[in-house]
Amino acid sequence: MQNNQPILDEPLVKSVLKPLSEKFEAYKNSVLNCTAIDALTNLMSFNFSKLCHQYISYAHTEAPDTLIYSNDTYLLQYVLSEPLKDLIILHRDVLVQVHIGKHKNLEQQASDNALQHLLDASKEQLSQAISYFVSKVEKEEKKLLKFLASSKKLEDKTRYHLSPWDVYAEQYKTLLGQFSHIISTGIKTQETITAFREINSHTNSVIDQIIKESEVLLDISNAAVSKIEAKEDSKELLSWIETSLTLIAATNSNSKEEFSSRVETKINNLESYTIPTGTHQGYLLEKKINFNKSVKKWMDYNLLPLLMDLWDGNSNLNNFIKISLLNLKSSLKLGKENDNLIVFDIQLQSYRKIRKSLLENIENQKTIVSQLREMLTKEFLVSNCYDNHEFLEITIQNSINQYTSETTNVFARFKNAIHTLVDKFNQSYDKVVSEDPLSKIDRASNCISQRMYKEVNADYDTLFLNKKFIGDLFLVARTNQEAKLKEAIAQWNDGFNKSVLVLGTSLSGKTTFINHTTEILIDQKTIKLTPNDSVTIEGRKFKTTKNLKEALDEVKRSSFSKRRILLIDDLELWRDEKNTLLNNTRALVDFIESESDNVLVIVTTNPPMSVHLDTRCNFSSVFSTHITVNKCTQEEIYKAIVLRHSATHRSVINSSNEPLTESQINANVTKLSKKLDYNIGEVLQAWTYGTTVTEEGSILYKDSYLSFPDFFTKEENLIIKYTLLYKYISEKILKEFTGDFYESNLKSSLKRLINTKVILRDETGLLKINPVLNHDIYQILKYKDIIN
């Protein structure tokens, strides 16, 4: 009987393992001899990848007829596959890290010494891993030969095992493919870093130009003072004024427009791509970053406001000095035949004041410039995407992309199955939509019409819709939130500096919450600040405007016989043409930081506005206690509806004229609560959509809640976002906010929103979101990642 076991000392039995080990040893020596990051990168991405493909080629070779390589095949496929995979993963991880190090070094976030240390550590790690792999090959080969020498067969080792090779081969393919991905994205990232540098350099040159222009204005002011003090000849002074006016005209450049145009060109060249940011437990971590969108957003929120301050300050001073010189010129011309020089004394006082203003302005500029340069140095960096905290946003979709990149092939197959299912669903969905006779706007109009106020239900709906209808019997305690506020008040009374931020979306009941809880939990007198209102403190009366700083200064100046509670409801309402919300917010932050030991400040606003303000100033973090009232418990919502309905002493019936039981009412309330994210005000409002007062006086309830379709264009999204954040807008506000873009794009969009009753105009002419759509619009904007 022929023995199928290969005879070890026959010439037919030759091994590829030794030459393969020698190649790995040669590769290790090349790694140790590397003197630069780029050389190591090339070795890993090309030489090592080539070695791995040779290994795969050898492992695929099977020759059962000649028995050549049968031992090697077993070792390569069964024994050495896992060590090789570990070696590939290590190389992949090192490749990611050296790219991160290189990019940080390019942006001067890592020194040359640090980069050299990374290179040395990487070489050491790789050489040790390669040595271990080569020793593993030799060890396993000897172990197999010893096993075969004991007259045992190779098939004894594999009889009850499926070959893992196909799985490993697929994993190698994925891992080695990541090498190419890391290299290509590394090149893209270097190009992005170059673009960031150019934007940074241009911004700094613009800053330098602004400072230079200020210094020119200061020199002119200083020269004016010295010439007037010396009482120079009128003719010489007039000549100097003409020269100075020409110089001032030259400094009043269009750097603002030139900056915007040049930077926009640079930003438009930035791309969106997936960038490897690290590794974890064998998986490659990635983020998909839209550098174009992210940089625009960062500049709009951080850089441009400060640059605008510099430009506007310079422009004002430029005009001021220009007018002063023209006045001096006119005075000189009028009195050139008069030897009386009294006019010089008046001008001298004026220019001394100008010089003082310029010196103060330059000091302010230096502060802003220092802030700008620090932002550009520390924040405006591509390599920040590698850190835990980065200014570049990662959207929900990108997080999903990252998750899928970290999963196994099993998940990939599952994902493909899901895609197939989704494709089938989309086909069915398209078919249903195509058969729907109503357009989105028609369905939106039907939805709004169904929700709007009905005269026949006036008395009943008032119980649910009137925010001012707050009797003690209709209040529902919000236990968790009240406990948190009570704890904050107790700590404040014990001498701790405290302040409270209450966050809630529209109709969530934040106003009712703070008014009610401060009355029942606080024995100190409460001061309520509202724009354009009269406030009395210790008998001292004053009227508020939209300037919050002035109101807070009045509070600070008032003498207190005891400590006070200060309520500011709907912070976003503190704004007008002269007083920006940002300046009012900064005044509030300053007040809290200096007065919170004597005044407990409680402020309410909506969550998106809080996020928005956090991008511009230190807002939410200044508050020691945060209370969110977006949601109520199911029990609290049910109790609120039952309390209001019980006041009517009427029964709720269904379409069959049968009374609804408590459990049936509760089921309908629960259904609404889930749809509306447990927002108590939205549920109270939605309850009225399904109710009708019958001729007999009963309340007919039908579950007729219609969903509101998203038909908004990009321009309409902008308008409703602004309105949702700030509670109201007007055509004038929009025009000031968007400039020429209003006439070209937003005017018609706003008109459509008004015509479809998405936005309503109140009695004062201001435009607000239709209250029956607040929840829908918030969810639409949140889904589109337009607000947080």
Side-chain angles (χ1 to χ4, degrees):
M1 183 176 179
Q2 186 178 0
N3 187 358
N4 291 329
Q5 180 63 36
I7 300 173
L8 300 177
D9 55 356
E10 284 185 13
L12 276 176
V13 181
K14 51 187 179 180
S15 174
V16 297
L17 293 177
K18 187 173 181 179
L20 190 64
S21 296
E22 290 173 350
K23 288 178 181 178
F24 271 98
E25 280 288 351
Y27 167 73
K28 183 185 77 172
N29 294 332
S30 299
V31 168
L32 290 172
N33 291 328
C34 275
T35 57
I37 287 286
D38 287 340
L40 182 62
T41 299
N42 289 334
L43 274 174
M44 287 189 288
S45 59
F46 297 107
N47 298 46
F48 180 71
S49 293
K50 185 178 178 181
L51 273 177
C52 292
H53 282 107
Q54 285 182 352
Y55 180 103
I56 294 168
S57 177
Y58 292 149
H60 272 308
T61 303
E62 294 188 79
D65 295 335
T66 60
L67 302 177
I68 296 177
Y69 304 142
S70 59
N71 294 353
D72 291 349
T73 301
Y74 166 74
L75 289 170
L76 293 170
Q77 291 189 358
Y78 283 83
V79 181
L80 299 174
S81 297
E82 187 68 16
L84 180 66
K85 187 177 84 168
D86 292 339
L87 188 62
I88 296 174
I89 289 174
L90 176 65
H91 274 74
R92 191 274 317 274
D93 293 359
V94 170
L95 192 60
V96 170
Q97 292 307 317
V98 295
H99 270 88
I100 292 173
K102 183 179 178 181
H103 296 154
K104 290 197 171 188
N105 179 256
L106 286 172
E107 293 192 313
Q108 299 178 341
Q109 300 305 297
S111 65
D112 291 341
N113 288 337
L115 194 64
Q116 183 62 44
H117 177 73
L118 175 63
L119 174 62
D120 295 338
S122 299
K123 286 160 57 178
E124 181 64 20
Q125 285 277 70
L126 291 173
S127 64
Q128 289 180 10
I130 296 165
S131 296
Y132 172 80
F133 178 76
V134 171
S135 66
K136 184 75 173 174
V137 172
E138 294 172 356
K139 180 181 177 182
E140 292 297 333
E141 190 174 25
K142 289 177 181 178
K143 189 176 176 181
L144 178 62
L145 291 173
K146 186 177 180 181
F147 174 83
L148 296 174
S150 62
S151 300
K152 293 182 179 178
K153 297 179 180 179
L154 189 61
E155 63 179 330
D156 293 337
K157 279 188 169 286
T158 60
R159 182 179 299 162
Y160 302 108
H161 298 279
L162 288 173
S163 173
W165 178 246
D166 289 340
V167 174
Y168 279 114
E170 187 65 28
Q171 290 176 346
Y172 295 159
K173 181 180 176 182
T174 300
L175 289 168
L176 293 172
Q178 290 175 354
F179 281 48
S180 302
H181 174 59
I182 294 165
I183 295 294
S184 61
T185 53
I187 295 170
K188 272 188 180 180
T189 303
Q190 284 181 234
E191 293 170 353
T192 305
I193 288 172
T194 301
F196 270 52
R197 274 181 177 173
E198 290 172 352
I199 294 171
N200 191 324
S201 175
H202 181 56
T203 305
N204 276 300
S205 67
V206 168
I207 293 170
D208 292 336
Q209 179 64 28
I210 294 171
I211 295 296
K212 185 179 177 181
E213 289 174 4
S214 296
E215 290 171 350
V216 168
L217 297 176
L218 182 60
D219 289 341
I220 292 173
S221 178
N222 288 334
V225 171
S226 62
K227 287 177 180 295
I228 294 171
E229 282 178 339
K231 297 183 178 180
E232 279 194 3
D233 180 72
S234 296
K235 187 175 181 181
E236 292 179 2
L237 196 51
L238 280 169
S239 175
W240 174 82
I241 290 172
E242 291 295 341
T243 304
S244 297
L245 287 171
T246 304
L247 193 58
I248 289 172
T251 61
N252 191 16
S253 63
N254 58 346
S255 59
K256 191 186 301 183
E257 291 75 14
E258 188 270 340
F259 174 81
S260 299
S261 174
R262 187 166 172 181
V263 168
E264 186 176 359
T265 302
K266 297 288 183 188
I267 294 174
N268 287 340
N269 292 330
L270 296 176
E271 297 180 31
S272 172
Y273 61 92
T274 302
I275 182 170
T277 58
T279 55
H280 180 66
Q281 295 182 353
Y283 298 128
L284 180 65
L285 304 181
E286 298 180 299
K287 293 178 182 176
K288 186 172 183 182
I289 301 173
N290 188 330
F291 283 98
N292 181 295
K293 179 181 177 182
S294 300
V295 170
K296 282 181 180 176
K297 196 169 185 179
W298 183 84
M299 296 194 80
D300 287 344
Y301 281 114
N302 297 279
L303 189 73
L304 287 177
L306 294 175
L307 273 178
M308 291 298 294
D309 288 345
L310 291 179
W311 276 317
D312 292 344
N314 251 25
S315 179
N316 291 336
L317 287 170
N318 189 301
N319 292 330
F320 187 39
I321 293 180
K322 182 180 176 181
I323 291 169
S324 299
L325 286 174
L326 290 171
N327 288 338
L328 178 58
K329 180 181 176 182
S330 299
S331 299
L332 289 169
K333 283 185 174 181
L334 288 172
K336 66 180 178 179
E337 295 180 359
N338 189 346
D339 293 334
N340 187 351
L341 297 176
I342 297 175
V343 66
F344 282 96
D345 297 330
I346 299 171
Q347 294 291 344
L348 182 60
Q349 293 177 13
S350 173
Y351 277 95
R352 281 174 177 166
K353 288 181 180 178
I354 292 172
R355 182 170 61 180
K356 184 181 177 183
S357 297
L358 268 166
L359 288 169
E360 290 174 353
N361 180 265
I362 288 174
E363 286 302 312
N364 291 334
Q365 280 187 337
K366 287 179 180 177
T367 303
I368 295 173
V369 166
S370 175
Q371 190 177 349
L372 278 168
R373 295 200 197 280
E374 186 178 8
M375 284 167 52
L376 288 167
T377 303
K378 294 182 178 179
E379 297 180 27
F380 191 62
L381 299 169
V382 178
S383 56
N384 275 357
C385 68
Y386 298 126
D387 299 329
N388 292 327
H389 178 73
E390 68 276 359
F391 80 88
L392 299 167
E393 292 185 333
I394 310 301
T395 64
I396 292 173
Q397 182 58 46
N398 295 336
S399 299
I400 293 172
N401 291 341
Q402 178 180 330
Y403 175 70
T404 56
S405 73
E406 295 173 13
T407 51
T408 63
N409 293 321
V410 175
F411 181 80
R413 288 194 292 271
F414 174 74
K415 188 178 72 171
N416 289 335
I418 290 293
H419 275 311
T420 304
L421 183 63
V422 170
D423 288 340
K424 289 181 179 178
F425 167 78
N426 286 338
Q427 291 172 7
S428 303
Y429 176 81
D430 291 338
K431 185 177 179 181
V432 170
V433 170
S434 64
E435 291 171 355
D436 187 354
L438 296 175
S439 69
K440 282 187 176 181
I441 294 183
D442 289 334
R443 287 187 285 131
S445 299
N446 286 346
C447 175
I448 295 171
S449 175
Q450 187 257 346
R451 296 181 183 183
M452 292 294 277
Y453 182 79
K454 305 176 187 69
E455 190 66 36
V456 68
N457 286 6
D459 293 337
Y460 184 77
D461 288 359
T462 299
L463 292 169
F464 294 85
L465 301 180
N466 192 343
K467 289 176 67 176
K468 296 180 181 179
F469 192 84
I470 306 291
D472 290 342
L473 295 175
F474 292 90
L475 286 168
V476 176
R478 305 179 77 160
T479 311
N480 294 334
Q481 291 91 339
E482 286 182 12
K484 198 170 183 180
L485 181 58
K486 187 175 182 180
E487 182 183 2
I489 294 168
Q491 291 175 353
W492 180 69
N493 283 326
D494 289 339
F496 291 90
N497 288 30
K498 303 293 288 184
S499 54
V500 181
L501 177 62
V502 179
L503 296 174
T505 52
S506 181
L507 298 181
S508 60
K510 56 183 182 293
T511 303
T512 303
F513 171 75
I514 62 168
N515 288 338
H516 174 60
T517 50
T518 50
E519 287 177 6
I520 64 172
L521 296 177
I522 302 170
D523 56 1
Q524 287 90 349
K525 187 175 180 181
T526 301
I527 303 166
K528 297 178 183 178
L529 285 185
T530 307
N532 302 324
D533 193 16
S534 293
V535 181
T536 303
I537 306 175
E538 297 289 345
R540 188 167 177 273
K541 192 173 184 179
F542 66 92
K543 185 171 178 63
T544 61
T545 62
K546 292 292 182 75
N547 188 325
L548 183 55
K549 185 178 186 306
E550 288 181 354
L552 293 172
D553 286 343
E554 289 288 346
V555 173
K556 195 184 298 186
R557 280 195 292 268
S558 300
S559 58
F560 296 132
S561 59
K562 52 184 177 180
R563 302 163 87 204
R564 299 303 174 115
I565 309 297
L566 179 63
L567 296 184
I568 301 176
D569 192 19
D570 291 328
L571 176 63
E572 59 270 19
L573 298 180
W574 287 86
R575 61 189 173 90
D576 60 14
E577 294 176 5
K578 297 180 181 178
N579 305 285
T580 66
L581 177 61
L582 183 59
N583 286 339
N584 281 332
T585 302
R586 285 172 176 160
L588 173 63
V589 169
D590 292 340
F591 182 86
I592 291 172
E593 289 176 342
S594 63
E595 304 295 323
S596 57
D597 58 335
N598 195 46
V599 181
L600 176 61
V601 180
I602 302 176
V603 176
T604 77
T605 190
N606 59 74
M609 178 56 74
S610 177
V611 174
H612 176 66
L613 290 174
D614 282 340
T615 64
R616 303 298 303 276
C617 66
N618 179 29
F619 175 64
S620 62
S621 59
V622 80
F623 294 91
S624 57
T625 302
H626 290 200
I627 299 175
T628 302
V629 295
N630 279 341
K631 297 183 179 182
C632 283
T633 64
Q634 175 58 37
E635 293 76 16
E636 289 167 346
I637 294 174
Y638 176 67
K639 184 178 179 182
I641 285 184
V642 169
L643 282 173
R644 284 157 176 76
H645 174 74
S646 299
T648 66
H649 303 288
R650 301 179 182 184
S651 59
V652 183
I653 60 174
N654 59 20
S655 302
S656 302
N657 209 28
E658 298 170 342
L660 297 181
T661 64
E662 286 187 11
S663 61
Q664 288 173 322
I665 294 174
N666 192 20
N668 284 306
V669 173
T670 302
K671 191 174 181 180
L672 287 175
S673 300
K674 289 179 179 178
K675 283 181 181 177
L676 298 165
D677 294 330
Y678 296 92
N679 181 317
I680 188 169
E682 290 286 356
V683 178
L684 288 172
Q685 181 174 257
W687 176 261
T688 66
Y689 304 159
T691 56
T692 305
V693 179
T694 65
E695 293 181 359
E696 293 77 21
S698 298
I699 306 300
L700 173 65
Y701 182 82
K702 293 180 181 179
D703 181 11
S704 54
Y705 186 89
L706 299 178
S707 60
F708 181 79
D710 173 17
F711 64 85
F712 303 126
T713 63
K714 182 172 65 176
E715 291 76 18
E716 288 164 353
N717 283 329
L718 177 64
I719 295 170
I720 60 176
K721 174 193 173 180
Y722 191 85
T723 314
L724 191 73
L725 274 178
Y726 291 91
K727 283 211 166 182
Y728 69 85
I729 58 167
S730 67
E731 287 88 343
K732 184 180 179 182
I733 292 172
L734 261 183
K735 196 169 184 178
E736 289 174 351
F737 182 65
T738 58
D740 294 338
F741 187 68
Y742 172 78
E743 290 292 338
S744 60
N745 294 75
L746 297 185
K747 190 174 182 180
S748 59
S749 298
L750 178 60
K751 191 173 290 184
R752 187 167 86 139
L753 291 173
I754 295 172
N755 290 340
T756 54
K757 296 190 182 297
V758 172
I759 288 181
L760 302 178
R761 194 184 301 276
D762 67 13
E763 61 277 4
T764 64
L766 295 175
L767 300 169
K768 300 180 180 180
I769 298 288
N770 190 330
V772 302
L773 299 178
N774 271 313
H775 179 265
D776 300 272
I777 287 175
Y778 178 74
Q779 293 300 322
I780 288 169
L781 296 180
K782 192 174 180 182
Y783 176 77
K784 291 180 175 179
D785 203 26
I786 295 173
I787 60 171
N788 296 316

